[in-house]
């Protein structure tokens, strides 16, 4: 048997799986986006052409939801990255002694997002939430009702990202920690001999060498944060007054709660395309031909 | 020989084809967890009496809608009965067997008018009520019975302190009980809560104010900007914005948060679903001090938005006869479920059989509220969920910022709803 045919044979199960479980649903999604389809009566389809896309692209609600998705993703990702890198540097400095610290730090990863969402909802909700009681006890705020984390339209989008940051900072820390372990010690020693202090060694040596790892974190966590649904839904259901509504939530509501499969499919298709483009750009930026990493 | 084989094969084919017509050993009932506990004692008795087993498929609240939607879309269902929230009735009406034969005069006479009205979609009896809930008034008996509070209230308002029965009494009591109990200059006890995340309490006040319907009238016209809706919105927001008798942050307060505040002793009164009376946590600071009264009355009297669940028989059921038999049995033996933790029923007779028992003091206020002439269900239109999500709740949350012009909010909500209904 020729080698190429053998290779194809070996790949066939995986290709079949991807075809059935990934390609077919995506094609179905794209196909539905050109029709008016009701969830309960999928056999009744009315061709709309690009109408669903026009509705989506001209909807202020969806534009706002898209911008909020971006703001949520950038905010969550920024803090996950900052806290994660800081924790990874701490673990690295502690060396083998950090084994237990890493284990404890990874515990939030084991918590289901729904549980985390409920937990944080009751931590944050004013009058009842422990966080406001703590802040009031420390005299940071005047009384437990002073900050309405989930009720204030100006801050709710950032408040609902707290559980996301809490859940996944440990993931970022562990990945970056693994990246730090792979940096050759002789490079760091050479920098030290050249007189670089700890900050310079981090900025000029470690950070550039961590670039591929950070890119992976940015792609994986960025896409993950952009499609966050359960964490926010359980805390606010997108409220108050839509101010924590992100795109995935809009797609869910339109598809499942309102049964408008066509328009939800059009939104989801555009969302998918945007995610793919962002991932490709991030990939090229990190591993492009001109990069030596 | 060949003809014998052919006959045998034909008989087998006929048997297989006629399969669903044979009596079933088991029927599958799709239900959420609370509903299973209410119907389990009924199902056990049903099995003893008929020999038909009842298999409950228990899913979370939203799972009932998601699973049924998926199965109806696929055109096949594993479920012979589904217990559904009233808000889904309009969506599932086309996929439910008519239950007209089960609504005998006796059954109709034993159900509150609002529950009967919600049983029908476009003139078809779609679902049989299995249990019904409504928001009633919970209050702190210790506070209302405190002679010092009674004297202070009478001195301030000129009448006796009693559990509020109408809007004025409710507003007075809410303002009165908003008190600084530890002398730090800030209230530690509020009169009540105001919900921004769930609009049903405001809708109840819309009915109390005399509106012919909530958001839509019976002909489907959008009436969210009528005088009663505005009056109710003014009253609803006044508690927070004018009287400051409820905690800030109302926009995101939902039923769970309202319950927590009441059980933590932060509020003196709470309008809440009646079932909570028997579910007060033993370690709550208000345990044993909770009283129950009917929902407050406006110009049109007492009114609430009922929260009933209905048993429907999907058209895709393979055992429709047995399923209908179970649905009829469940309403006839409705009281069997009351001992369950949720402690609810639908029929008047079931509630009446428990109303004088200790621990069920909330049943009389509940029956009175459910049977009130102005009590009415939410409009049974398929777009209801979208209307609530996209227009009603955001409007209410904007109103609770205390900065918005209320008539303008209602007018904008009307335009949004009309867009959804088009």
């Amino acid at each position: 048997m020729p080698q190429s045919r053998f290779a194809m044979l070996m790949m066939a199960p995986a290709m079949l799986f991807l075809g059935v479980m990934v390609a077919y649903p995506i094609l179905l999604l794209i196909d539905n986006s050109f029709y008016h389809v009701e969830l309960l009566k999928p056999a009744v389809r009315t061709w709309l052409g690009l109408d669903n896309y026009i509705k989506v692209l001209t909807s202020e609600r969806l534009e706002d939801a898209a911008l909020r998705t971006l703001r949520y993703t950038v905010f969550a990702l920024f803090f996950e990255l900052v806290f994660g890198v800081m924790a990874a540097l701490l673990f690295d400095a502690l060396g083998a002694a950090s084994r237990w610290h890493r284990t404890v730090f990874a515990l939030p990863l084991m918590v289901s997002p729904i549980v985390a969402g409920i937990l944080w909802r009751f931590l944050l909700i004013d009058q009842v939430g422990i966080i406001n009681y703590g802040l009031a006890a420390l005299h940071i705020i005047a009384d437990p009702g002073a900050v309405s984390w989930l009720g204030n339209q100006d801050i709710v989008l950032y408040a609902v990202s707290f559980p996301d940051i809490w859940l996944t900072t440990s993931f970022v820390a562990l990945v970056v920690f693994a990246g730090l372990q792979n940096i050759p010690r002789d490079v760091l020693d050479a920098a030290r001999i050249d007189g670089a202090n700890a900050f310079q060694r981090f900025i000029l040596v470690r950070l550039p060498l961590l670039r591929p790892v950070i890119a992976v974190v940015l792609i994986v966590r960025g896409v993950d944060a952009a499609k966050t649904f359960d964490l926010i839904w359980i805390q606010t259901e997108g409220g108050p007054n839509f101010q924590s509504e992100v795109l995935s939530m809009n797609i869910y509501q339109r598809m499942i709660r309102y049964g408008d499969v066509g328009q939800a499919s059009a939104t989801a298709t555009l969302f998918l395309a945007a995610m793919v483009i962002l991932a490709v750009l991030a990939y090229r930026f990190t591993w492009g031909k001109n990069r030596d990493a | 020989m060949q003809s014998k084989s052919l006959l045998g094969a034909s008989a087998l084919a006929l048997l297989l084809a006629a399969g669903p017509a044979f009596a079933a050993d088991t029927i599958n009932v799709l239900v959420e967890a609370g509903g299973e506990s209410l119907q389990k004692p009924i199902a056990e008795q049903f099995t003893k009496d008929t020999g038909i087993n009842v298999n409950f498929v228990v899913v979370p609240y939203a799972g009932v809608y998601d699973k049924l939607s998926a199965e109806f879309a696929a055109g096949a269902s594993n479920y012979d009965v589904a217990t559904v929230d009233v808000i889904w009735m309009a969506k599932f009406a086309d996929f439910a067997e008519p239950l007209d034969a089960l609504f005998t005069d006796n059954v109709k006479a034993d159900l509150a008018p609002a529950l009967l009205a919600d049983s029908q979609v476009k003139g078809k009896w779609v679902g049989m009520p299995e249990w019904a809930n409504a928001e009633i008034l919970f209050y702190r008996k210790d506070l209302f019975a405190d002679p010092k509070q009674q004297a202070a209230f009478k001195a301030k308002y000129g009448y006796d302190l009693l559990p509020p029965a109408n809007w004025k009494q409710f507003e007075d009591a809410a303002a009165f009980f908003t008190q600084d109990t530890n002398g730090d200059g800030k209230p530690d006890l509020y009169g009540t809560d105001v919900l921004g995340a769930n609009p049903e309490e405001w809708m109840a006040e819309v009915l109390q104010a005399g509106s012919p319907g909530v958001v839509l009238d019976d002909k489907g016209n959008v009436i969210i900007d009528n005088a009663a809706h505005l009056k109710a919105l003014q009253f609803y927001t006044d508690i927070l914005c004018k009287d400051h008798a409820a905690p800030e942050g109302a926009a995101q307060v939902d039923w769970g948060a309202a319950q927590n505040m009441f059980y933590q002793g932060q509020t003196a009164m709470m309008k809440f679903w009646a079932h909570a009376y028997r579910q007060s946590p033993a370690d709550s600071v208000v345990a044993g001090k909770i009283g129950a009264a009917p929902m407050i009355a406006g110009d049109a009297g007492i009114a609430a938005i009922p929260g009933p669940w209905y048993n429907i028989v999907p058209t895709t059921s393979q055992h429709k006869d047995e399923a209908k038999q179970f649905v009829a049995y469940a309403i006839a033996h409705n009281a069997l479920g009351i001992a369950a933790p949720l402690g609810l029923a639908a029929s008047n007779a079931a509630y009446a059989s428990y109303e004088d028992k200790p621990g069920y003091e909330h049943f009389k206020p509940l029956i009175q509220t459910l049977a009130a002439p102005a009590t009415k269900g939410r409009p049974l239109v398929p777009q209801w969920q979208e209307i609530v999500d996209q227009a009603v709740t955001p409007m209410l949350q904007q109103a609770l910022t205390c900065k918005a012009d209320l008539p303008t909010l209602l007018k904008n909500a009307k335009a949004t709803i009309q867009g959804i209904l088009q």
Side-chain angles (χ1 to χ4, degrees), chain A residues 4-293:
Chain A
S4 60
R5 187 178 293 177
F6 180 73
M8 287 296 287
L9 203 64
M10 289 294 103
M11 284 193 293
M15 285 169 70
L16 186 69
F17 179 81
L18 286 173
V20 173
M21 303 304 286
V22 180
Y24 175 68
I26 289 177
L27 288 174
L28 199 62
L29 180 83
I30 296 168
D31 183 47
N32 280 338
S33 70
F34 297 109
Y35 289 88
H36 172 76
V37 192
E38 285 182 33
L39 185 65
L40 292 175
K41 296 170 185 170
V44 184
R45 295 156 65 86
T46 313
W47 171 257
L48 291 180
L50 292 174
D51 276 11
N52 282 329
Y53 286 95
I54 292 167
K55 266 189 198 166
V56 170
L57 292 170
T58 55
S59 162
E60 278 184 31
R61 276 284 305 284
L62 280 166
E63 188 187 327
D64 290 344
L67 285 173
R68 273 193 292 273
T69 307
L70 193 64
R71 276 162 51 206
Y72 176 89
T73 306
V74 170
F75 184 82
L77 211 51
F78 174 78
F79 282 101
E80 284 166 19
L81 208 56
V82 169
F83 294 153
V85 170
M86 284 166 66
L89 288 171
L90 190 66
F91 296 151
D92 189 53
L94 288 171
S98 72
R99 196 173 64 243
W100 289 106
H101 301 81
R102 276 180 276 144
T103 306
V104 172
F105 198 68
L107 285 179
L109 271 178
M110 320 299 167
V111 178
S112 141
I114 293 282
V115 175
I118 295 172
L119 176 76
W120 276 87
R121 173 173 168 68
F122 282 101
L123 286 173
L124 287 172
I125 197 157
D126 43 307
Q127 306 299 333
V128 181
I130 298 168
I131 285 184
N132 274 7
Y133 272 92
L135 293 174
L138 295 170
H139 301 291
I140 294 171
I141 58 174
D143 62 82
V147 184
S148 182
W149 296 103
L150 302 178
N152 184 328
Q153 300 187 16
D154 297 327
I155 60 171
V156 63
L157 184 67
Y158 306 107
V160 291
S161 74
F162 293 170
D164 200 340
I165 295 168
W166 177 72
L167 275 179
T168 47
T169 293
S170 45
F171 166 77
V172 176
L174 293 179
V175 174
V176 174
F177 176 74
L180 284 171
Q181 301 308 296
N182 287 330
I183 294 175
R185 289 286 148 185
D186 52 349
V187 178
L188 291 170
D189 290 342
R192 193 176 287 117
I193 290 166
D194 286 345
N197 60 29
F199 181 72
Q200 287 169 325
R201 286 200 300 277
F202 174 68
I203 295 293
L204 301 172
V205 180
R206 285 180 155 177
L207 210 51
L209 290 174
L210 278 176
R211 198 182 64 214
V213 173
I214 290 175
V216 168
V217 168
L218 282 176
I219 294 170
V220 172
R221 278 300 307 140
V223 171
D224 211 28
K227 63 185 176 63
T228 299
F229 169 76
D230 39 12
L231 269 178
I232 308 179
W233 183 259
I234 208 78
Q235 291 183 88
T236 62
E237 290 195 13
N241 197 27
F242 308 121
Q243 291 309 307
S244 58
E245 184 188 73
V246 290
L247 268 180
S248 58
M249 215 169 270
N250 191 288
I251 294 166
Y252 164 78
Q253 283 185 308
R254 192 134 293 282
M255 174 86 83
I256 305 295
R257 279 162 79 105
Y258 314 151
D260 185 353
V261 177
Q263 198 181 321
S265 299
T267 314
T269 303
L270 290 173
F271 187 41
L272 181 70
M275 287 295 101
V276 170
I277 290 168
L278 280 178
V280 168
L281 286 176
Y283 183 86
R284 285 201 173 166
F285 175 75
T286 314
W287 291 291
K289 282 179 185 171
N290 298 328
R291 301 281 173 180
D292 52 5

Side-chain angles (χ1 to χ4, degrees), chain B residues 244-293:
Chain B
H244 305 289
E248 297 292 327
Q252 207 50 33
V253 173
D254 61 3
W255 285 314
Q259 260 187 309
N260 271 327
M261 286 191 277
F262 187 70
Y263 292 145
Q264 289 180 10
Q266 294 186 35
T267 51
M269 298 181 290
M270 167 178 75
K271 285 175 269 178
F272 204 80
W273 300 97
H275 73 275
Y277 184 79
R278 286 180 60 77
Q279 296 187 340
S280 310
D283 58 352
S284 159
V285 295
V286 300
K289 302 170 184 169
I290 300 173

Side-chain angles (χ1 to χ4, degrees), chain B residues 42-124:
Chain B
I42 299 170
E44 284 167 1
Q45 192 64 42
F46 176 72
T47 302
K48 276 184 198 165
D49 289 352
T50 64
I52 301 169
N53 293 308
V54 180
N55 175 41
F56 287 103
V57 181
V58 184
V59 294
Y61 174 82
V64 176
Y65 178 82
D66 294 345
K67 273 188 178 289
L68 268 187
S69 297
E71 299 224 344
F72 289 152
S77 174
N78 289 320
Y79 309 116
D80 303 302
V81 176
T83 312
V84 302
D85 191 340
V86 65
I87 61 170
W88 304 322
M89 290 278 278
K91 281 218 167 192
F92 293 150
D94 290 345
F95 303 90
E97 282 285 304
L99 299 180
D100 299 39
L102 305 189
F103 280 87
T104 60
D105 289 344
N106 285 343
V107 168
K108 286 189 212 169
D110 201 19
L111 291 168
L115 303 186
L116 282 174
D118 282 349
S119 301
Q120 302 166 78
V121 179
K122 295 176 197 163
K124 181 173 104 174

